[in-house]
Amino acid sequence: MQRRSFFAGAATAVAAASVSRVALAALPEPASQSSAETAAPLVPPNGRPYRPVVTLNGWTTPWRMNHGVKEFHLVAEPVVREVAPGFSVNMWGYNGQSPGPTIEVVEGDRVRIFVTNRLPEHTTIHWHGQRLPNGMDGVGGLTQPHIAPGKTFVYDFVARRPGTFMYHPHADEMTQMAMGMMGLWITHPKAAHPLIANVDRDYAFLLSAYDVEPGAMTPRVNEMTDFNIWTFNSRVFPAISPLVAKQGDRVRMRVGNLTMTNHPIHIHGHEFEVTGTDGGPVPKTARWPEVTTDVAVGQMRQMEFIADELGDWAMHCHKSHHTMGAMGHDVPTMIGVDHRGLVSKIQKIVPDYMVMGERGMGDMGAMEMPLPDNTFPMMTGTGPFGPLEMGGMFTTLKVRAQLGASDYRDPGWFKHPQGTVAQEWTGAPPDSTAPRQTAPGTAPRAPSVRKPGTDGGHGSHH
Amino acid sequence: MRRLSVLAAALVLAGCASVSPDGLRGDVQEQTQSRLPKDAQLPSANSNAEADEQKRIGEWLQKPVDQDTAVRIALLNNPDLQVQLASLAVEDAERAQALTLFNPTLTLGRFTNAHEIEFERELAFGLVNIITLPWRSRWLGWQMERSTLQASQNVLTLAADTRRAWLRAVAAEQALIANEKMNDAAQLGAELARRMAAVGNFNRLQQARELSIAQESAAQLARARLNATLEREQLARLMGLWGTQTAFELPKQLPAIPKSASELRAGDDAEATALRERLDLRALRRDLDVTADRGGWSRVGAVFGDIGVTYSNNRAKDRESGHVEKTRGWELELPLPIFDWGGSASARTRAEVQRSAAQLQSAALRARSEARTNWSRYRTAWDLAHQQQAEVLPLAKQVQDETMLRYNGMFDSVWQLLAQARTTTQVVVNATNAQRDFWIAETDLQLALTGTSPGGIAPFAATTSNSNNNESGGH
């Protein structure tokens, strides 16, 4: 499903229809991106050098150097995000995508960001985690007037400390973040930093969640808890790019959480350390090894590890429903329900009916059932051994022995060395005489035969 | 000479006043032919034909009874119609009798006294009876025409009632089948809920909710079943069927409605058609003619009563002498109009004429209004039925399909799927009812334009024992 193709920097420059060229004459041309594929890292053409990040299924915006000032132009606008092939969502984003482009600068850079509003309502941008003059903090009504539709505002400050940050609106933010308005901001250290390691691979993504009614295209912005689309950078498994690494690479993952709940981000086969938060690098004495770290709401985490174990390793949010696509949260559990004699009768009334959930929901991962248009299935994705039964905040870390330093392409499925895959036991059969202790619907030690006529009354069960 | 010819003419007319051999059924048939299904026939007056008719009915009942056949059977077999047709024949016989000249009176007497024996022979003859014969013949003829028109209306009303009953019976049968399907869905939901509870997936409340749906559905099915039985009984009653005949089959579907509005009857000539064609108006027009014509007669009758002519031929014999004396002669008996010059009688006829005229006017007014309203109902019924066919049903199917897709994605449960199936089936029932209502409106329109008042017309209500008149207005 995932086609890993890299776009060299910003793909196309699109001038807005609603903002005239004359009005934009003094502004940097806004770069725009139409693809949801992962773009190649943007090697800085000017300014202080740094090692760029890779934004999963995203891109880094180019800038214009203007008398030593890095000038960016963000355009807030409605976009259609391909959350997965065949599943597109109406969102609000920046420069053609949600999330917006990653802004990469170097500690000490003077930054000027032009923000043009092409939304139907006012907005602002808050530079989450930055040290800056109060009036540049982007809180509508508090530190600045709102940016009315059609207007362009300019933010001007110095990126004072290195780290992982993000940007998002601080005006009608419940709606605007539910619609996907967000982006990453990476400030690279200007020189070697004792707490910031040089890494070989630097991946960045934001966590966001949406509630899209099956068959609809626009998220329900009034939802507060019951989301059904859980994304890394507004993409879901299997449409999220894998993180690839050459064996022995030091890998950094930068994760920011703009959903309304926490996400225990978990990686298989390796242990990592949280080396930084949006507060800055973590002192070495405060780091401890983990395989899961919780990224709370509104937080950012930098995790680092050595990718020394070959294979295709799962990397996902450990809340199991966050690795599910859209599903009915009110559907009753059907496990263990005897359907004998009923299926053909139901099919007389509803010809396309099939039993589902009788043995659990795993069937869903394998079945290709027709769904409402533009609906992301609950379980999907196929691996080399069968259905993955995932959909949401899930991707893979692919560690390979042979990989070019700047090669980020999907290397395909891992070829396991002989004898290293779990397999069916072919020895003596298991002891089948072990009795089953309880039957479904019956409490342990409950009498196995009920007296006729007593099973309708309260209190007769115990 | 002149008087003789009048008398001769009267006698000729009197001779013509014979009883119609078929009790005027032929006339009724002629009046109604074009308004009934092809080959529809009234029961023959000849009782020999009955076996034939029953055989034909038996053949018709072998196959599913379509709408026209139902009408054909009802016309042949409905006992109430036979009562009415027999009444018409009775009336015809009475008319023929009324037009027959009164038999002359022969009076014979034998009188004796001491010296005489007298034989008296008188032949008396009511004269007015003869003089007014052409007159009476004319308006009795009109009256029979009016009665024929009335009987014809009864035939058309029966045909319309039968059509409506057929439509209702077929629709009720369709609704019953749909209700059975709805009930199946509800019972399946309940059974599945029971099994859910058995393995601990449903609590008592969840199970009870599904069970209550099944119970409600079972009750609705019972009502649908009763309704289908009642509608079918009504049809059987109108067709005059009983015993094993009531096991007749009906088609599974109502006829399709016209596809486009252009196939519908236009409404602009409705009033004119009704005024031209309706039998009740023609009957009332006859009423008016008769009452107006009777005006003259009533004056003559009131003033002169009956003029009697008596011819006597008496014979008296003297007992002693044996002398026989014969007397011949005639008497004319004339009432003298001293007290009653016919004023009150003519006032009454004037009032009767006025009444007749007003009745005709009222009926014409009603006919116009009924033509308009029934056309509107017909047109709207088509719009509604067409909307059901063209929009509501496809939409319901789409909802059903989308629900199926939502079930596939585990967004909806099987209970929601079954509930949607029940809803869809109810939509089908509604569409069937709309289709039925269109055809009923069409039947009413036909009757309102070419027959009589679809709701039953008051002046004839007394002689129309058909109980369906009450019902036909109330759907």
Side-chain angles (χ1 to χ4, degrees):
Chain A
M1 200 168 185
Q2 170 67 29
R3 185 175 56 85
R4 185 70 177 267
S5 62
F6 284 83
F7 289 78
T12 40
V14 179
S18 57
V19 180
S20 78
R21 280 191 167 276
V22 177
L24 290 174
L27 305 179
E29 193 82 351
S32 187
Q33 176 63 278
S34 60
S35 167
E37 300 295 336
T38 301
L42 179 68
V43 178
N46 49 36
R48 288 195 185 94
Y50 59 85
R51 191 174 179 85
V53 300
V54 169
T55 307
L56 282 189
N57 299 102
W59 60 297
T60 292
T61 179
W63 62 84
R64 177 175 78 180
M65 278 304 238
N66 189 3
H67 299 95
V69 179
K70 277 187 178 170
E71 288 186 338
F72 297 87
H73 191 171
L74 292 183
V75 178
E77 60 186 355
V79 302
V80 176
R81 173 73 168 178
E82 187 197 67
V83 175
F87 176 51
S88 297
V89 177
N90 294 327
M91 290 190 184
W92 288 355
Y94 299 97
N95 301 40
Q97 285 290 313
S98 163
T102 300
I103 293 173
E104 287 184 81
V105 297
V106 179
E107 179 186 5
D109 276 353
R110 184 173 188 86
V111 180
R112 189 176 296 134
I113 309 132
F114 298 90
V115 178
T116 297
N117 182 7
R118 284 185 198 154
L119 298 174
E121 70 166 352
H122 66 216
T123 187
T124 64
I125 299 190
H126 165 59
W127 313 99
H128 183 113
Q130 303 284 349
R131 295 277 186 143
L132 37 60
N134 186 228
M136 295 292 161
D137 198 39
V139 181
L142 178 64
T143 64
Q144 67 162 91
H146 294 99
I147 309 171
K151 300 291 182 191
T152 299
F153 272 44
V154 59
Y155 294 85
D156 200 330
F157 55 91
V158 174
R160 281 161 63 181
R161 70 185 173 84
T164 304
F165 309 103
M166 54 192 174
Y167 61 89
H168 62 80
H170 227 296
D172 190 17
E173 56 254 40
M174 160 98 190
T175 302
Q176 295 189 4
M177 283 198 267
M179 289 295 284
M181 296 195 74
M182 56 193 68
L184 285 152
W185 177 302
I186 312 295
T187 304
H188 297 277
K190 67 179 166 197
H193 190 292
L195 295 177
I196 301 172
N198 286 321
V199 294
D200 304 297
R201 313 257 167 179
D202 200 339
Y203 291 100
F205 57 96
L206 290 171
L207 309 174
S208 59
Y210 305 93
D211 179 28
V212 184
E213 189 64 24
M217 270 190 86
T218 307
R220 291 184 57 250
V221 297
N222 295 327
E223 184 53 59
M224 296 183 192
T225 54
D226 195 16
F227 298 92
N228 58 12
I229 305 295
W230 303 96
T231 73
F232 292 173
N233 279 346
S234 302
R235 291 278 277 193
V236 289
F237 178 80
I240 302 173
S241 296
L243 287 69
V244 300
K246 183 170 184 293
Q247 191 173 29
D249 274 356
R250 174 171 280 274
V251 179
R252 179 153 52 218
M253 293 194 305
R254 305 166 187 258
V255 185
N257 180 3
L258 281 172
T259 72
M260 295 200 206
T261 189
N262 61 313
H263 296 279
I265 298 297
H266 172 60
I267 192 163
H268 292 204
H270 298 79
E271 59 283 339
F272 57 74
E273 285 182 346
V274 175
T275 57
T277 72
D278 30 1
V282 177
K284 289 199 165 157
T285 50
R287 300 177 186 180
W288 65 83
E290 289 210 274
V291 295
T292 305
T293 193
D294 202 21
V295 186
V297 179
Q299 288 187 336
M300 313 218 56
R301 291 288 178 269
Q302 278 177 207
M303 291 96 96
E304 285 173 31
F305 59 95
I306 307 295
D308 46 11
E309 298 292 345
L310 292 174
D312 293 341
W313 303 104
M315 203 278 284
H316 59 95
C317 172
H318 215 289
K319 287 188 174 176
S320 54
H321 68 284
H322 293 179
T323 58
M324 289 284 105
M327 56 190 282
H329 300 174
D330 296 326
V331 173
T333 302
M334 304 298 291
I335 291 173
V337 177
D338 179 9
H339 279 74
R340 270 175 300 174
L342 295 184
V343 178
S344 62
K345 286 182 185 170
I346 295 178
Q347 281 169 342
K348 269 186 203 155
I349 297 162
V350 192
D352 295 334
Y353 170 81
M354 274 179 69
V355 178
M356 282 193 292
E358 190 185 12
R359 296 177 297 270
M361 292 190 184
D363 290 348
M364 282 298 289
M367 276 195 277
E368 288 275 329
M369 304 277 276
L371 298 181
D373 291 345
N374 201 54
T375 297
F376 184 61
M378 180 170 97
M379 292 178 177
T380 183
T382 309
F385 299 105
L388 265 93
E389 302 168 357
M390 293 279 163
M393 294 176 164
F394 182 98
T395 187
T396 49
L397 166 69
K398 298 195 169 194
V399 183
R400 298 289 184 271
Q402 308 299 323
L403 207 63
S406 59
D407 191 352
Y408 289 86
R409 286 173 304 178
D410 185 344
W413 300 117
F414 182 60
K415 291 179 181 64
H416 299 269
Q418 185 76 30
T420 64
V421 177
Q423 57 184 325
E424 186 183 351
W425 171 252
T426 53
D431 182 6
S432 60
T433 57
R436 187 173 170 167
Q437 296 300 314
T438 57
T442 318
R445 291 183 303 283
S448 57
V449 178
R450 284 180 191 159
K451 268 163 84 179
T454 59
D455 83 348
H458 284 283
S460 63
H461 292 187
H462 304 290
Chain B
M1 213 34 221
R2 195 184 173 84
R3 222 162 260 169
L4 269 176
S5 66
V6 169
L7 195 67
L11 287 169
V12 167
L13 275 173
C16 287
S18 57
V19 179
S20 152
D22 67 351
L24 294 175
R25 282 168 204 222
D27 293 12
V28 173
Q29 181 98 36
E30 200 177 314
Q31 289 292 350
T32 53
Q33 196 89 61
S34 61
R35 298 161 168 87
L36 291 176
K38 200 168 156 281
D39 301 337
Q41 282 187 334
L42 297 177
S44 167
N46 182 353
S47 54
N48 296 338
E50 203 187 318
D52 237 25
E53 287 164 6
Q54 287 304 321
K55 187 166 158 251
R56 212 176 323 152
I57 290 172
E59 280 163 13
W60 281 332
L61 291 176
Q62 295 302 308
K63 282 183 282 187
V65 177
D66 67 23
Q67 200 178 351
D68 284 351
T69 306
V71 172
R72 288 185 192 109
I73 295 174
L75 292 182
L76 280 183
N77 212 31
N78 181 292
D80 289 327
L81 183 65
Q82 286 169 4
V83 169
Q84 285 150 14
L85 292 175
S87 302
L88 184 65
V90 168
E91 213 178 311
D92 184 47
E94 280 168 0
R95 175 196 65 107
Q97 196 177 13
L99 289 181
T100 309
L101 292 181
F102 291 152
N103 291 332
T105 321
L106 177 67
T107 317
L108 297 175
R110 179 173 173 278
F111 308 95
T112 55
N113 55 21
H115 44 91
E116 263 184 346
I117 301 174
E118 196 178 327
F119 293 96
E120 220 177 76
R121 281 158 295 190
E122 274 180 20
L123 188 66
F125 210 74
L127 209 55
V128 165
N129 203 305
I130 299 177
I131 294 171
T132 60
L133 190 63
W135 227 339
R136 284 189 296 126
S137 163
R138 190 164 75 233
W139 59 259
L140 278 175
W142 284 345
Q143 194 143 333
M144 282 321 294
E145 197 182 323
R146 180 202 182 283
S147 294
T148 308
L149 286 170
Q150 181 184 315
S152 303
Q153 284 176 77
N154 289 338
V155 167
L156 295 183
T157 308
L158 174 66
D161 288 343
T162 308
R163 278 189 194 287
R164 292 190 204 102
W166 184 91
L167 291 165
R168 291 213 178 90
V170 173
E173 186 67 31
Q174 274 184 262
L176 173 59
I177 290 167
N179 267 282
E180 277 164 355
K181 194 171 167 184
M182 275 188 263
N183 186 52
D184 285 349
Q187 301 303 332
L188 282 168
E191 173 58 20
L192 210 50
R194 201 185 59 72
R195 296 188 189 183
M196 286 284 276
V199 294
N201 296 11
F202 260 4
N203 58 34
R204 285 168 183 278
L205 179 62
Q206 289 168 308
Q207 187 190 3
R209 284 194 177 125
E210 294 302 329
L211 285 180
S212 72
I213 289 169
Q215 287 163 358
E216 171 53 36
S217 164
Q220 197 182 321
L221 175 62
R223 286 191 287 268
R225 197 166 276 144
L226 173 66
N227 190 47
T229 309
L230 294 182
E231 297 293 9
R232 197 187 154 84
E233 275 301 324
Q234 172 70 4
L235 176 61
R237 207 154 53 228
L238 285 171
M239 292 197 294
L241 302 180
W242 60 281
T244 54
Q245 288 181 317
T246 53
F248 62 88
E249 258 183 73
L250 289 173
K252 298 272 170 267
Q253 302 261 310
L254 291 171
I257 62 164
K259 281 200 172 56
S260 74
S262 62
E263 293 171 42
L264 295 180
R265 192 193 164 100
D268 41 15
D269 63 339
E271 285 181 53
T273 309
L275 291 180
R276 191 175 62 241
E277 301 272 329
R278 270 174 66 142
L279 300 183
D280 58 340
L281 295 186
R282 276 158 63 179
L284 286 169
R285 215 166 276 136
R286 270 288 165 262
D287 266 1
L288 183 59
D289 289 344
V290 173
T291 22
D293 203 62
R294 249 167 126 168
W297 152 251
S298 70
R299 181 171 285 269
V300 173
V303 174
F304 297 105
D306 194 11
I307 303 168
V309 184
T310 313
Y311 170 77
S312 333
N313 184 348
N314 297 341
R315 180 169 169 270
K317 183 181 179 189
D318 193 293
R319 284 179 147 178
E320 286 166 16
S321 66
H323 173 74
V324 175
E325 195 175 291
K326 289 184 178 172
T327 326
R328 287 193 201 96
W330 55 272
E331 279 176 306
L332 188 63
E333 198 185 328
L334 278 175
L336 293 179
I338 296 174
F339 307 109
D340 182 0
W341 277 90
S344 54
S346 62
R348 180 185 161 167
T349 32
R350 263 203 312 282
E352 276 175 351
V353 170
Q354 278 172 2
R355 185 174 64 185
S356 267
Q359 274 175 343
L360 177 59
Q361 199 183 7
S362 158
L365 204 73
R366 183 169 49 223
R368 282 175 179 278
S369 165
E370 282 175 353
R372 289 193 305 270
T373 51
N374 279 288
W375 187 82
S376 291
R377 276 184 42 211
Y378 161 80
R379 181 55 221 239
T380 308
W382 184 83
D383 285 341
L384 292 173
H386 183 256
Q387 186 206 27
Q388 291 285 331
Q389 297 287 342
E391 294 164 30
V392 178
L393 282 179
L395 192 63
K397 177 163 182 349
Q398 195 190 332
V399 171
Q400 177 75 58
D401 291 348
E402 288 295 324
T403 308
M404 185 68 226
L405 296 180
R406 289 182 65 88
Y407 171 79
N408 286 348
M410 284 199 179
F411 308 120
D412 282 347
S413 73
V414 64
W415 288 274
Q416 284 162 308
L417 192 59
L418 291 172
Q420 187 54 52
R422 295 199 305 272
T423 308
T424 308
T425 318
Q426 185 58 53
V427 173
V428 172
V429 171
N430 294 347
T432 306
N433 288 347
Q435 195 178 350
R436 174 201 66 190
D437 290 346
F438 166 75
W439 286 117
I440 288 178
E442 198 257 358
T443 303
D444 288 350
L445 177 65
Q446 286 302 330
L447 197 57
L449 292 188
T450 63
T452 181
S453 188
I457 172 162
F460 302 129
T463 55
T464 308
S465 56
N466 198 326
S467 59
N468 303 309
N469 278 346
N470 304 329
E471 206 182 299
S472 56
H475 42 73

